[in-house]
Amino acid sequence: MAAIMLQGTGSDVGKSVLVAGLCRALVRRGYSVRPFKPQNMSNNAAVTADGGEIGRAQALQALAAGMEPHSDMNPVLLKPQADRTSQLVVHGKVRGTLGVGNFRTARAELLGAVMESYVRLRQQCDIVVVEGAGSPAEINLRAGDIANMGFARAADVPVILVGDIDRGGVIAAIAGTKAIIDPADAAMIRGFLINKFRGDPALFEDGYRQIEQLSGWRGFGVIPWLSATARLPSEDAVVLERNIDRGARGTVIACPVLPRIANFDDLDPFKLEPDVELVMVPPGQPIPAQASLIILPGSKATIADLRALRAEGWDIDILSHHRRGRPILGICGGYQMLGRSISDPHGIEGEPERIEGLGLLDVDTRLMGDKSLERVAGTAWGQSFTGYEMHVGLTDGPDRARHFARLADGRTDGAVSADGRICGTYVHGLFASTEARAGLLASLGVKSGAVDYAASVEQALDDIAGQLELHADIDAMIEMATKG
């Protein structure tokens, strides 16, 4: 029963991908592996086998480890729903909210829940691969920390520090971390990894040795830029630079990037389609007039995001798109926005209120009750799919009589407008199903490339694991994990 933890010199240094790659590399060596992230902050989440939710990155890491996602793999999940407030999910279930007033105190009290999950995982496998959050260099957040050194010291797990050379300043980032963190925290770090290197690693040999001298830590390798990462599900932020090409190489599917956009990896499978251009529309830009389909995505704060959508003028673009006779699909929060109204009588998203929707579907939504978290299967566009539901609220009205999908258990999902051009659904993950994606594209007059999205992700994980085998000292990592 061994463990190793990857922490970073900052956010977005590639920890999540490296943990996934390391999990896959260890599995290929015959080890039983579990991923673990004590605390995550993300609105991209996945439904677990035990009926909870965890960060999307940990679900991907579970896939890399050949395991079903479980709520123990990410015991504390924070889902931002306002600038100063996050929904708190513990062991897969909503426990309340955290804000600036109670964040530090409440977070420190969650260490017990974190350790419970970690102990259970350790009893199930040979090695636990742990991912930190943010950076241990954020010493202003050290008191009450459960995500980085607070966990590492409580669980006595050795740490490898990951530095991102692509953003520059990696020598200072690693050596600077050693200089400013508590000496007892620094003692938990046994070495470093350089990530996202472009070019000939020999050119960085002097820098690599200088980091070893300045920090006193050994290097575990220089990882090249992993192009396979682009084939993995999106994690914590929409990578807009992947979608800046407006050359309209094919049929345009447009999605506005809302402030609290959630589970936007729903759209990732469209990247595999050779005749489709997926455009994630950033704030300040109009929805492209040439779009054949607009998809309104999920949201962690539907009412606030609907206001933001109107403030951007996207409602005008959407209504113009509709007048041109083109289809619109709303997923989860986007489905709710398409209706006549959204009411929040119990203040689930903030103050109790009611807001007018876009009025394109003859349905109304009330935000109430427990969060629906379940995996589902069914048919839509005449094709089979698997997916999951993750939402709060009940949606009903005349357009529900024309359901969007029929689920395998006989229930119906979603709504369709009388003219058939406006659809709403609570099902996430639809487009990962090759048949359902092809069915949607056929309705737009586009022939799908019929690429298996799941197989593409599996191949990407294998490719990343292969790169780690070539460029990281995995044998030394295993020895460190075993001996502590």
Side-chain angles (χ1 to χ4, degrees), residues 64-117:
M67 301 302 305
E68 281 281 353
H70 191 281
S71 58
D72 278 339
M73 296 173 181
N74 177 203
V76 177
L77 175 63
L78 302 178
K79 305 186 78 172
Q81 58 187 22
D83 289 341
R84 295 172 176 266
T85 306
S86 293
Q87 184 181 75
L88 172 64
V89 178
V90 179
H91 290 153
K93 303 298 183 183
V94 176
R95 183 174 287 189
T97 59
L98 288 185
V100 292
N102 66 340
F103 177 74
R104 291 179 183 272
T105 302
R107 184 183 61 166
E109 294 173 352
L110 293 169
L111 182 58
V114 166
M115 292 304 297
E116 288 173 16
S117 289

Side-chain angles (χ1 to χ4, degrees), residues 417-435:
S417 63
D419 62 11
R421 298 202 307 268
I422 312 299
C423 300
T425 177
Y426 274 122
V427 178
H428 292 284
L430 279 168
F431 309 121
S433 299
T434 305
E435 295 83 0

Side-chain angles (χ1 to χ4, degrees), residues 53-382:
E53 60 178 309
I54 60 175
R56 169 59 57 192
Q58 281 61 67
L60 175 67
Q61 292 160 0
L63 177 66
M67 301 302 305
E68 281 281 353
H70 191 281
S71 58
D72 278 339
M73 296 173 181
N74 177 203
V76 177
L77 175 63
L78 302 178
K79 305 186 78 172
Q81 58 187 22
D83 289 341
R84 295 172 176 266
T85 306
S86 293
Q87 184 181 75
L88 172 64
V89 178
V90 179
H91 290 153
K93 303 298 183 183
V94 176
R95 183 174 287 189
T97 59
L98 288 185
V100 292
N102 66 340
F103 177 74
R104 291 179 183 272
T105 302
R107 184 183 61 166
E109 294 173 352
L110 293 169
L111 182 58
V114 166
M115 292 304 297
E116 288 173 16
S117 289
Y118 174 67
V119 169
R120 283 193 289 264
L121 290 181
R122 281 203 65 164
Q123 294 170 345
Q124 299 170 13
C125 65
D126 300 321
I127 301 177
V128 179
V129 184
V130 186
E131 179 189 346
S135 170
E138 296 164 336
I139 55 176
N140 56 309
L141 301 177
R142 179 61 179 89
D145 169 60
I146 62 171
N148 290 304
M149 288 304 176
F151 167 78
R153 288 176 61 176
D156 193 25
V157 175
V159 174
I160 294 176
L161 188 65
V162 179
D164 178 359
I165 197 169
D166 188 59
R167 66 176 59 183
V170 72
I171 296 175
I174 296 176
T177 298
K178 173 66 177 293
I180 66 173
I181 63 176
D182 183 275
D185 287 349
M188 299 301 301
I189 300 177
R190 308 300 166 79
F192 62 88
L193 275 170
I194 303 298
N195 196 27
K196 303 183 186 179
F197 189 88
R198 301 176 191 257
D200 183 357
L203 298 175
F204 189 64
E205 187 172 334
D206 288 344
Y208 192 80
R209 300 307 170 201
Q210 287 167 341
I211 293 174
E212 289 185 320
Q213 292 172 356
L214 289 167
S215 67
W217 298 322
R218 62 153 295 177
F220 282 92
V222 177
I223 311 302
W225 183 270
L226 298 170
S227 58
T229 300
R231 306 201 304 273
L232 298 179
S234 301
E235 296 173 30
D236 298 326
V238 178
V239 186
L240 295 175
E241 60 265 27
R242 293 180 189 169
N243 305 292
I244 59 174
D245 176 19
R246 295 295 181 88
R249 72 173 189 272
T251 298
V252 173
I253 295 176
C255 174
V257 180
L258 303 168
R260 295 287 177 251
I261 189 171
N263 293 69
F264 45 83
D265 57 301
D266 281 341
L267 307 180
D268 283 356
F270 288 120
K271 300 173 189 174
L272 302 178
E273 294 292 345
D275 295 322
V276 171
E277 180 189 0
L278 175 64
V279 177
M280 303 298 292
V281 184
Q285 297 292 323
I287 296 175
Q290 72 268 34
S292 296
L293 170 69
I294 293 176
I295 296 180
L296 295 187
S299 168
K300 188 63 196 70
T302 307
I303 291 176
D305 271 355
L306 179 54
R307 287 200 175 96
L309 182 148
R310 287 185 166 123
E312 289 289 340
W314 286 332
D315 58 328
I316 298 172
D317 297 339
I318 291 167
L319 294 175
S320 296
H321 177 92
H322 178 243
R323 284 195 297 272
R324 289 192 289 268
R326 297 175 185 172
I328 301 167
L329 172 64
I331 301 174
C332 201
Y335 169 29
Q336 296 171 344
M337 294 179 196
L338 288 172
R340 294 175 305 203
S341 69
I342 306 168
S343 60
D344 186 5
H346 306 297
I348 290 174
E349 291 189 354
E351 294 297 321
E353 61 178 321
R354 179 182 182 278
I355 187 172
E356 296 297 319
L358 295 173
L360 296 176
L361 280 176
D362 195 3
V363 295
D364 297 279
T365 296
R366 286 171 59 87
L367 303 180
M368 57 189 299
D370 295 332
K371 180 180 285 190
S372 176
L373 292 168
E374 62 175 320
R375 298 178 180 181
V376 295
T379 56
W381 299 292

